[in-house]
Amino acid sequence: MDLNFTPEERAFREEARRFFRTEVPEKIRRKVEEGHHLSKEDIVTSQRILNARGWAVPAWPREWGGQDWSPAQMYLYQDEMQQANVPSPLPFNVSMVGPVIAEFANEEQKRRFLPATANLDIWWCQGFSEPGAGSDLASLRTSARRVGDKYIVNGQKTWTTLAQHADWIFNLVRTDPSAKKQEGISFLLIDMKTHGIKVRPIQTIDGGHEVNEVFFDDVEVPAENLVGEENKGWDYAKFLLGHERTGIARVGISKARIKRIKELAALERIGGRPLIEDQHFREKLAAVEIELKALEMTQLRVVADERKRERGKPNPASSILKLKGSVIQQLTTELLMEVVGPHAMPYQPSEEGRNEPIIGPEYATEAAPTYFNYRKVSIYGGSNEIQRNIVAKAILGL
Amino acid sequence: MDFDLTDEQRLLKDSVDRLITERYDFESRNKYRAEPEGWSRALWEQYAELGLLGLPFPESYGGFGGGPVETMIVMEAFGRGLAVEPYFATVVLGGGLIHQAGSEEQKSALLPQIASGEALLAFAHVERQSRYDLANVTTRAHRADGGWRINGEKSIVLHGDVADQLIVSARTSGSPSDRAGIGLFLVDAKDVTRRGYPLQDGLRAAEVKLDDARAEPLSNPEGALSVAEQVVDAAIGALCAEAVGVMQSMHELTLDYLKTRRQFGRPIGDFQALQHRAVDMYVALEQARSMALFATMMAAEEDPAERRRAITAAKAQIGRSGRHIGQEAIQLHGGIGMTMEYKVGHAFKRMTMIDIMFGDAGAHTEELARLGGLFGT
């Protein structure tokens, strides 16, 4: 038993740290650090820099650009990337549709989609949730009716993140309405420019526009865009949701935010002294740091365990990472808002070409919106209640 | 980075786990507690035969050269069984202090006796006003007749009622709370007045009065605080491992209960409200286990500030997880959790005492806050 990384792993960490902090533009990393929304261009630029080095899709199979890294390297890569405030490569491409295509699609689809997906030449969005299918995802109703060499798709998806930027959507559709609900679902790739698709923005409580509704009205999709077999889509979706989940704890992101909390708490003053010297505040922060350290150790244990597990099989322990990781992320956003105090109050969305001077310190503008926005992390990707159901069943045998 | 046990460690774990499973069911534990000293001399001999009592000492002193991981393995198993023998007091604390602070002569004399089960030790450091501060010492040591004498009172000396030798912290110079001027002294139990009593969890302790008691210094009588801190930090790591065993036991008992107790025509574990609470207990357990591992791997860290930060964070996590799991275990058991006839309540009490020992979750969170936290510094 040894907490230390090997000399090779330590060298890898150094290499990753240097790369992330020198090659990814400071301007983009600062936006992440300060909690501003990234433009499409920011995300594309960053991912292409990573991809040029072969670091956008390290977990993919080697022939499609993967790196065959050890779990420890994978952990170090994510940790350094997050601590450097580098935007994660688009998860819809890298952690979701990419691995599904690599695992289940035919050769032609792989050649067509995988390189473009890694380089973010194609921006994917995820067509899973529907108004009537949230936690109970398998009850989805968007239909795909086979007519000749086409599917005719009708229905509605929702909570579709960044659909406004997307070129393609990977969609769960019902191809057999008479089958048991998990068994009539297929995994279909759809070009967002196809006639009959409409995207409507949903403004979230932070004032931002991340999610959308996507409507399908007699959308014609070539049958060749089906991934794998018809009516096997639920299996592929489960594979997708279980893939690469150790990064879900987002420990590096919480570490970066704690660093920022400490920096800002040194600037804010309470009773004439820097807030960071206030013992009550320090204890609240220390309590979160302890939980975060424990989570990091838990993550390392899961990572170490990955070596012994069958590839592609979801590890129920990742539910713990999601549960605890989401709550800690939320706590850090809460603390950051407390740090800036009343300066959190003015609503000042970042807009291009703003003329008015900023009210209060510039670092305070995103504190409350980030707090509001992060309520999502215990809801998306299987809400924390769903994660508890998974652990109760799969680990505790209840 | 590696969380695997070596083959030897795995063998140790198998044998200690088997011992606890076979000899430490709840009824046996009640019998051991009813013995005159509140624990089992017969089991103590068995621990000696298995090599557990000399585990952390070098082979040259009759030990087995184990490190923090070996101690963790034993303590976690003892935690599962709620073992009441004075292992922590004698081997981890007492043996640790002799090993780290003792002279060659003292080590040669005492460590083999601990390993063979002949000598019992206790660490007398708490005083009425000291709370969790090892440096807060008013007990005084002075030179007399070419030796040392100690005057003062020590409180809540774990297993001090049976110890043959006490290791006493005493001030040789300075005022209470000065870091300098503290020595560690070996005192024969026959030279003190003591009053033994049970703690809340059934383990035993003593109040100790030293009235010009003859004493023999371990290490430097003027500056033994840092070595005491080093041993206590490692001991806290061991306590964290014990706590994980206690928590795991409470969680397993609760799961069994949820699966077997029927109300409204079905096992109560069918109810989602209870399932989710059992999951939250599990998450708290895994977080605690992670930090116990962290403490174990940092116990021998050479930089005392880094070591202390790790240990203090671990103890805080253990305390918090332990309270959560313990309180929930009682609640999910309902009435049966409140009775002395059932193990879970005893585990809850042991966990509560572990939380308090060497500083509870709040005290350690406060200390970590003063030290500047864990990240971004």
Side-chain angles (χ1 to χ4, degrees), chain A residues 2 4 262 289 298 301 389, chain B residues 1 276 286 290 374-375:
Chain A
D2 185 2
N4 295 310
K262 289 182 176 179
E289 289 183 71
T298 305
R301 288 167 54 210
N389 289 350
Chain B
M1 187 198 63
H276 284 194
E286 290 306 316
S290 289
L374 290 165
F375 296 104

Side-chain angles (χ1 to χ4, degrees), chain B residues 85-144:
Chain B
E85 283 68 39
Y87 188 86
F88 179 73
T90 293
V91 178
V92 178
L93 275 176
L97 288 166
I98 302 286
H99 182 196
Q100 298 300 331
S103 65
E104 195 52 44
E105 213 181 326
Q106 289 163 334
K107 285 193 272 192
S108 301
L110 273 168
L111 294 182
Q113 284 190 41
I114 295 173
S116 67
E118 292 159 72
L120 299 176
L121 272 74
F123 182 27
H125 61 96
V126 179
E127 297 182 3
R128 171 65 189 85
Q129 79 296 338
S130 67
R131 289 188 74 86
Y132 306 123
D133 185 1
L134 281 179
N136 189 319
V137 176
T138 60
T139 298
R140 289 255 163 203
H142 66 275
R143 287 179 194 274

Side-chain angles (χ1 to χ4, degrees), chain A residues 53-99:
Chain A
R53 196 197 169 93
W55 280 20
V57 292
W60 287 14
R62 185 153 197 104
E63 58 170 321
W64 298 109
Q67 294 282 356
D68 273 340
W69 280 341
S70 68
Q73 277 179 302
M74 200 62 212
Y75 161 79
L76 293 170
Y77 158 81
Q78 282 165 345
D79 194 53
E80 286 302 326
M81 181 163 62
Q82 291 171 354
Q83 287 199 73
N85 293 302
V86 169
S88 293
L90 196 69
F92 314 106
N93 285 37
V94 169
S95 313
M96 296 185 187
V97 76

